[in-house]
């Protein structure tokens, strides 16, 4: 390989990038130069010829003390690196990124991911933006947000704006909450793009799969042309895009001429959906670790949003204020209207993504490893709402043999959190053996350590007939040993895998009749309606949300048509008393 002999020069002015790097007489030898700028220039010149051997040299320069040269280093790495190489860089700098206030490192990693154009990098860029904007140098975050915008925004997909000047709320500004809201808005725009593209490993720009010709046309129409992107992708010499005097004014005719030349002469060599660096295709190498890093960033924001007060989310425009919506309920009792539909389902993502994945699979009749997967998801988060949601899913869809794992778990994890979660899941499953096992857990749980009411409450819902006041008083007596003995006597007369309700085998027709009676009694006290609605809706998959006129009151006028639809459902008609269904599918015992 030979190179034109040029006088050595490297100008790393912020307005002059790779085009001004002229190589030494022996380019490969330049990689060993004591001058860092010479090493970068040699690596660039090699890359112009499709030779990637300079990457390792440049990677060793990421901590150069010269800020502008460091910027060029990360642009080079982002443009030329494959997925595994980018993941390695991020992992090598985790401490600097997440555990320190080195905003410049966060900025450069974001710049690297921008020039990689890979879709999975955007949530990480948003995380870097959030760290910078809530750190010691928030003004430095603007460049990162501009890069995020270039990658994901289009005329059809704009980053939503925080409504009502929420970002300037004093409390939100002081706590950084407004920045979390803004980051969430960016993430939603990215998700909308991913819903359309369907591939997080694809290169993107301007809200679409990356296409070099489209990029060139768009750059040519920009008020301030994105010269760095055009140059690093195509390798074109753009030194005449700015005047040579000290003012460095843009030269519109030269810019238009270069774009027209590229489209006419070179654009046909560039394929949509592929990455290019200095005119050469970057190999596509899929690395699953990239998705793990992406999901880690997403999970951070999901946890932050979940921790916020609902009213803050309404004020910011993330949630609708639907208190007057006829379809509203308490946000938990229904799989149709819970947060499960709000999270992108993934078996390897955050708690919310995993739980959504598990629930979606169960709706389709796939119960494989449901209990183990749910426990693994719970271990990712410490959140009361998450624990309750997980316990409800385990109770509704956990196969009988898998639920026995909870008895072992409660012994292995004697903390109140885990005992209570297992107690609720076993009790709400209604299985006779599980209710007896839950009675033992009830006796082990300190009543003062519970988060969701007295420890006997989940068992009472399943075992106590509504009019049996003597049994009800026993449960409320706090004599847990006596309660446990009574539980044993009730469950002993039924086969172990029989599902009970009010101490008898669960019968959907009886539940529907009970719901019909309950709806008309006291519209302002819908607790009984909520429990019956959840059971009937979960077992059949028939949406009963319109039983509610508001979160505090039921709507008797809607009950007739809804119950008619319920009774017409095939799974309702075919249900065998004492068995569990999940969205019309029999929950397996083994």
């Amino acid at each position: 390989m030979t190179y034109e002999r040029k006088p050595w020069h490297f100008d790393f002015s912020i307005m002059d990038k790779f085009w001004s790097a002229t190589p030494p007489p022996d380019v490969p030898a330049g990689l060993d130069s004591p001058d860092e700028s010479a090493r970068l220039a040699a690596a660039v010149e090699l890359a112009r010829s499709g030779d990637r051997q300079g990457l390792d040299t440049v990677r060793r320069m990421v901590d150069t003390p010269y800020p502008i040269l460091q910027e060029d280093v990360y642009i080079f790495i982002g443009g030329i690196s494959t997925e595994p190489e980018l993941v390695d860089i991020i992992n090598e700098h985790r401490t600097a990124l997440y555990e320190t206030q080195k905003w410049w490192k966060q900025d450069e990693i974001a710049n690297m991911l921008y020039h990689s154009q890979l879709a999975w990098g955007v949530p990480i860029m948003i995380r870097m933006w959030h760290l910078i904007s809530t750190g010691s140098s928030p003004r430095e975050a603007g460049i990162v947000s501009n890069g995020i915008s270039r990658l994901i925004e289009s005329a059809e997909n704009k980053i939503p704006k925080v409504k009502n000047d929420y970002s300037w709320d004093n409390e939100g500004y002081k706590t950084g909450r407004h920045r979390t809201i803004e980051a969430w808005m960016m993430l939603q725009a990215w998700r909308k793009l991913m819903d359309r593209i369907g591939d997080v490993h694809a290169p993107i720009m301007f809200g679409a799969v990356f296409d070099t010709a489209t990029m060139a046309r768009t750059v040519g129409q920009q008020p301030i042309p994105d010269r760095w992107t055009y140059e690093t992708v195509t390798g074109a010499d753009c030194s005449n895009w700015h005047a040579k005097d000290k003012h460095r004014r843009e030269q519109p005719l030269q810019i238009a001429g270069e774009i027209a030349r590229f489209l006419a002469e070179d654009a046909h060599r560039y394929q949509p959906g592929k990455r290019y660096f200095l005119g050469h295709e970057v190999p596509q190498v899929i690395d699953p670790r990239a998705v793990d890093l992406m999901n880690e960033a997403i999970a951070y924001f999901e946890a932050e949003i979940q921790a916020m007060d609902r009213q803050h989310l309404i004020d910011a425009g993330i949630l609708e204020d639907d208190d007057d919506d006829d379809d509203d309920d308490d946000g938990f009792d229904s799989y149709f209207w819970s947060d499960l539909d709000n999270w992108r389902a993934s078996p390897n993502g955050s708690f919310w993504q995993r739980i959504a994945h598990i629930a979606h699979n169960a709706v389709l009749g796939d119960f494989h490893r449901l209990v183990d997967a749910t426990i693994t998801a719970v271990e990712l988060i410490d959140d009361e709402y998450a624990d309750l949601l997980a316990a409800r899913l385990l109770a509704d869809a956990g196969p009988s043999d898998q639920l026995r794992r909870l008895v072992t778990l409660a012994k292995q994890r004697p903390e109140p959190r885990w005992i209570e979660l297992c107690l609720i899941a076993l009790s709400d499953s209604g299985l006779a053996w599980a209710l007896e096992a839950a009675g033992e857990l009830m006796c082990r749980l300190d009543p003062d350590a519970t988060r969701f009411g007295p420890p006997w409450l989940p068992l009472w819902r399943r075992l106590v007939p509504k009019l049996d006041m003597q049994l009800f008083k026993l449960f409320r007596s706090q004599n847990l040993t006596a309660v446990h003995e009574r539980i044993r006597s009730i469950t002993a007369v039924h086969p172990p895998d029989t599902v009970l309700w009010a101490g008898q085998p669960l019968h959907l027709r009886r539940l529907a009749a009970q719901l019909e009676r309950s709806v008309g009694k006291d519209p302002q006290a819908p607790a009984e309606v909520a429990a019956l609605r959840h059971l009937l809706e979960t077992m059949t998959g028939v949406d009963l949300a319109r039983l509610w006129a508001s979160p505090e009151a039921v709507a008797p006028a809607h009950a007739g048509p809804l119950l008619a639809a319920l009774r017409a459902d095939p799974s309702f008609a075919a249900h065998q008393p004492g068995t569990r269904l999940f969205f019309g599918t029999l929950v397996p015992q083994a």
Side-chain angles (χ1 to χ4, degrees), residues 202-220:
I204 57 173
M205 186 161 283
F206 306 129
V209 172
F210 181 77
D211 176 60
T212 306
T214 300
M215 179 273 295
R217 294 188 189 95
T218 305
V219 167

Side-chain angles (χ1 to χ4, degrees), residues 18-19 47-50 79 115 117 210-217 219 226-238 241 258-259 261-263 266-270 274-282:
F18 300 131
W19 68 89
R48 288 184 192 280
S49 302
H115 283 279
Q117 303 153 6
F210 181 77
D211 176 60
T212 306
T214 300
M215 179 273 295
R217 294 188 189 95
V219 167
D226 185 0
R227 175 180 173 181
W228 291 0
T229 299
Y230 180 81
E231 212 159 42
T232 53
V233 169
T234 66
D237 182 355
C238 300
W241 282 26
E258 165 55 28
I259 298 295
R261 182 207 64 76
F262 173 81
L263 293 174
D266 297 337
H268 66 280
R269 298 191 296 105
Y270 295 79
K274 293 186 178 294
R275 296 171 59 209
Y276 294 88
F277 182 66
L278 298 180
H280 297 276
E281 184 178 342
V282 178

